[in-house]
């Protein structure tokens, strides 16, 4: 098992990619502290799914776009689990519009949930990882942060910002053996992409050489590589996980 007795904090893991990461890590013996905005039935169901692997798992209600809420989540997780080895910054949203129609609220909403959240959670775990002299952080960006995408200026800016943030954090924390890497998925079939119009889906799929969307489990495998000792000499990477999509 690649993560036996490790502790991972995963944001936004009640569904989609976050849930797939939590399940994959649990399969490798990892204990999981995860969050969603509220302690919903969905969260309790994921908690039970994870516990079925014989590991410790707990869901917390936290809004990671606020520093205080992020710190509370991390402190509660450390109190319950004892320490933290891994942070996966997965939580994110989209709120699409062309720049000419995008409101200030749409801009702020996406920047806060997708970029500020990465700052808040990294800042919250840093004291623990710094003190113990190790840690692995994986930030989920997007190919949209690399190549841009129509109607997603807010999302592209946030996801590109994650890369700049990561490159800096790597330089600040490397000497304490804290590794930070980015996984930038392309088109992954989840609830988030379920709303994309059929027409656009077809257009995207013709631009993917592998001719299919990615699966959440494939993103989870990339996270497992970086989070575990398999990626022990990787830091500052930006892995494009997009089936060879153009512009990525
Ligand atoms: P999703 O909407 O299914 O899941 C995201 C989860 O994050 C949700 O449960 C949501 O409630 C939670 N969340 C959002 N903001 C939060 C906050 N402030 N506090 C706590 N929880 C919060 O989305 P997904 O498709 O699973 O995407 C997961 C991540 O992967 C996102 O960062 C997304 O941008 C990124 N991504 C997704 C795709 C894709 O094609 N699905 C592609 C590239 C990148």
């Amino acid at each position: 098992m690649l993560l036996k007795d490790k502790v991972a904090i995963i944001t936004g893991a009640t569904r989609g990619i976050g849930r797939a990461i939590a399940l994959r890590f649990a399969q490798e013996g990892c204990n999981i502290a995860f969050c969603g905005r509220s302690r919903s039935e969905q969260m309790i169901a994921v908690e039970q799914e994870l516990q079925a692997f014989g590991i410790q798992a707990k869901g917390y209600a936290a809004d990671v776009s606020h520093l205080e809420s992020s710190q509370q989540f991390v402190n509660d997780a450390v109190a319950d689990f004892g320490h933290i080895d891994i942070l996966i910054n997965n939580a994110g949203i989209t709120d699409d519009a062309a720049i000419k129609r995008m409101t200030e609220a749409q801009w702020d909403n996406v920047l806060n949930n997708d970029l500020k959240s990465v700052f808040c959670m990294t800042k919250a775990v840093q004291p623990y990882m710094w003190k113990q002299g190790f840690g692995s952080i994986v930030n989920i960006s997007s190919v949209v942060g690399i190549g841009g995408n129509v109607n997603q200026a807010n999302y592209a800016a946030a996801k590109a910002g994650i890369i700049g943030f990561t490159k800096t954090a790597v330089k600040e924390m490397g000497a304490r053996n804290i590794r930070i890497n980015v996984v930038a998925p392309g088109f992954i079939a989840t609830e988030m992409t379920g709303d994309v119009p059929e027409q656009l889906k077809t257009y995207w799929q013709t631009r993917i050489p592998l001719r299919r969307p990615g699966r959440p489990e494939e993103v989870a495998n990339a996270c497992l590589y970086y989070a575990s000792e398999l990626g022990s000499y990787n830091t500052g990477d930006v892995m494009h996980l997009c089936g060879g999509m153009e512009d990525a």
Side-chain angles (χ1 to χ4, degrees):
M1 284 196 195
L2 289 170
L3 297 176
K4 181 128 184 63
D5 299 329
K6 301 279 184 199
V7 177
I9 291 187
I10 307 174
T11 67
T14 52
R15 64 180 211 177
I17 293 172
R19 174 174 162 273
I21 298 168
L23 290 169
R24 185 71 186 89
F25 282 21
Q27 205 179 21
E28 294 294 334
C30 193
N31 299 306
I32 312 284
F34 67 100
C35 80
R37 288 173 188 282
S38 63
R39 212 174 141 67
S40 57
E41 276 177 28
Q42 213 175 12
M43 177 179 281
I44 294 163
V46 172
E47 214 174 58
Q48 289 168 352
E49 265 184 299
L50 293 170
Q51 285 163 352
F53 287 92
I55 53 102
Q56 191 186 343
K58 186 169 173 185
Y60 300 78
D63 180 350
V64 294
S65 67
H66 292 284
L67 183 59
E68 209 180 302
S69 176
S70 301
Q71 285 172 326
Q72 184 72 53
F73 167 36
V74 170
N75 292 342
D76 289 349
V78 172
D80 293 336
F81 288 77
H83 71 284
I84 315 161
D85 300 286
I86 298 156
L87 166 65
I88 310 291
N89 278 313
N90 165 78
I93 62 163
T94 52
D95 194 350
D96 298 352
I99 295 167
K100 66 180 170 192
R101 274 187 286 274
M102 187 178 288
T103 63
E104 188 177 358
Q106 280 179 299
W107 175 269
D108 289 346
N109 190 22
V110 171
L111 268 287
N112 286 338
N113 284 289
D114 293 30
L115 179 58
K116 187 183 168 198
S117 58
V118 174
F119 161 72
C120 292
M121 284 301 293
T122 304
K123 193 170 168 65
V125 300
Q126 186 187 10
Y128 295 108
M129 290 186 173
W130 193 271
K131 198 167 169 204
Q132 71 199 11
F134 63 86
S136 177
I137 301 176
V138 182
N139 295 326
I140 308 296
S141 174
S142 166
V143 292
V144 170
I146 297 159
N149 198 26
V150 171
N151 294 336
Q152 291 199 308
N154 49 2
Y155 186 71
K159 294 299 187 181
I162 288 177
I163 297 172
F165 176 85
T166 301
K167 297 282 181 186
T168 301
V170 158
K171 291 182 174 153
E172 292 186 8
M173 301 182 206
R176 293 296 294 164
N177 193 29
I178 301 170
R179 299 185 292 106
I180 308 129
N181 293 285
V182 172
V183 173
F187 187 58
I188 309 296
T190 66
E191 288 91 335
M192 186 190 249
T193 46
D195 295 340
V196 173
E198 270 317 305
Q199 224 179 336
L200 192 59
K201 258 189 212 173
T202 312
Y203 170 68
W204 280 6
Q205 282 173 15
T206 57
R207 289 170 49 212
I208 302 174
L210 289 184
R211 295 285 182 271
R212 64 167 178 87
R215 293 186 289 269
E217 295 73 21
E218 291 170 319
V219 182
N221 282 335
C223 293
L224 177 62
Y225 174 80
Y226 285 121
S228 70
E229 281 303 297
L230 291 176
S232 57
Y233 200 53
N234 292 81
T235 194
D237 285 8
V238 180
M239 181 196 275
H240 296 208
L241 200 134
C242 58
M245 195 190 260
E246 290 165 32
D247 300 338

